[in-house]
Amino acid sequence: ATALVLRGGAGALDPTIAEYDWIQANRPGARVVGEGELRQGGRIYDVVAIVRRGVPEHLYFDITDAVAG
């Protein structure tokens, strides 16, 4: 899977807010049904499970740079 990269660092927009903004803009009508964190290969990912039009999808947001600081 491909991860969406959220950049920023200390003092930047909260990664969760940025994720929900992205979901609203790019997956209109989606409902968040779960969230989790994945650490792999030195990177940190937020995994957001959504359902849109009855179809489940997992979105991966690379928040490594957003939480570094």
Side-chain angles (χ1 to χ4, degrees):
T2 301
L4 301 154
V5 179
L6 299 178
R7 300 192 188 282
L13 183 65
D14 181 311
T16 302
I17 294 170
E19 291 164 6
Y20 277 73
D21 286 349
W22 188 95
I23 292 167
Q24 184 177 12
N26 294 278
R27 300 292 191 275
R31 182 172 46 98
V32 174
V33 295
E35 299 177 57
E37 186 178 281
L38 172 67
R39 293 173 181 259
Q40 185 173 4
R43 307 297 295 176
I44 305 168
Y45 303 92
D46 272 349
V47 183
V48 181
I50 64 169
V51 174
R52 181 174 176 230
R53 299 180 185 146
V55 179
E57 182 179 5
H58 286 88
L59 303 173
Y60 295 82
F61 295 92
D62 184 338
I63 62 167
T64 307
D65 293 340
V67 298

